[in-house]
Amino acid sequence: MNRVTARKTLYLVGGPMGVGKSTVCRELNRMLPRSVLLDGDWCWQADPFQVTPETKALVLDNICHLLGNFLRCDAYENVVFGWVMHERAIVEEILARLPIAECGAAVRWVSLVASEEELRGRIERDVDSGLREADAVERALAYLPLYRELGSELVDTTGRSPREVAELVTGGAHKGR
């Protein structure tokens, strides 16, 4: 029996910490039909947090495994993945390990950015609330220019609501729930 696989879309949403990735990805998950969300930070939620070659390989393998399973699952039409993704090599490795062609998936790769002032203010509020460490401000600001060199579509979150940003990420090509 020949079965036609429904066209799927994989949304890769990158950006520096504090730019709004998690919030925008949750909004995408709500607004896109038959969608599933993977936040890459969930795969790093360990105590103690350790970045080693072994943990990097483990996290990337887990991300690719989950995304591949979501893409193969007929229940989902839209797969949303949010993670820092500040290096082109990270995105290329993820895409190389996924069943994009097999699943007939389109890929929409965007990087969320904001003005330095906006990003600083958001992270400082998180630091004040105890959600981030004080060094997060400088790390996020140092990552910000990297996104302009990736070749992804840039979406500026400055002064925009999560819904407005999500609409820009989909390019208006979503069917509302």
Side-chain angles (χ1 to χ4, degrees):
M1 176 175 153
N2 250 349
R3 186 170 61 106
V4 176
T5 304
R7 182 138 183 98
K8 296 176 178 267
T9 302
L10 170 63
Y11 291 88
L12 299 175
V13 181
M17 67 184 83
V19 79
K21 289 181 306 297
S22 295
T23 304
V24 168
C25 286
R26 284 190 301 272
E27 186 66 33
L28 286 166
N29 185 228
R30 280 189 291 274
M31 67 189 265
L32 293 168
R34 299 174 51 213
S35 68
V36 61
L37 165 62
L38 174 63
D39 187 322
D41 288 346
W42 298 339
C43 298
W44 273 113
Q45 200 152 352
D47 188 13
F49 177 74
Q50 302 174 64
V51 179
T52 68
E54 181 183 28
T55 60
K56 284 181 184 178
L58 173 71
V59 167
L60 194 57
D61 187 56
N62 287 341
I63 286 169
C64 292
H65 182 79
L66 287 168
L67 290 175
N69 282 346
F70 290 148
L71 286 169
R72 287 183 190 98
C73 182
D74 289 339
Y76 303 119
E77 177 183 328
N78 293 287
V79 179
V80 179
F81 175 56
W83 202 28
V84 173
M85 294 186 281
H86 63 296
E87 297 172 353
R88 187 175 187 85
I90 294 169
V91 174
E92 288 173 351
E93 183 169 353
I94 290 169
L95 291 174
R97 294 172 63 176
L98 295 180
I100 302 294
E102 168 193 329
C103 297
V107 177
R108 184 126 167 97
W109 178 26
V110 301
S111 295
L112 304 183
V113 294
S115 69
E116 286 189 21
E117 179 182 37
E118 177 85 9
L119 187 59
R120 179 182 297 280
R122 289 179 189 178
I123 296 174
E124 286 174 348
R125 283 189 295 278
D126 285 354
V127 169
D128 291 345
S129 299
L131 300 174
R132 296 186 193 275
E133 298 297 320
D135 68 338
V137 174
E138 293 313 313
R139 284 187 292 129
L141 291 174
Y143 274 32
L144 188 59
L146 300 176
Y147 294 95
R148 300 194 189 287
E149 308 300 320
L150 290 180
S152 59
E153 179 182 341
L154 298 177
V155 176
D156 193 335
T157 66
T158 306
R160 292 188 168 119
S161 72
R163 179 67 183 208
E164 290 170 321
V165 174
E167 292 277 352
L168 292 169
V169 169
T170 64
H174 75 280
K175 300 170 212 125
R177 285 191 180 178

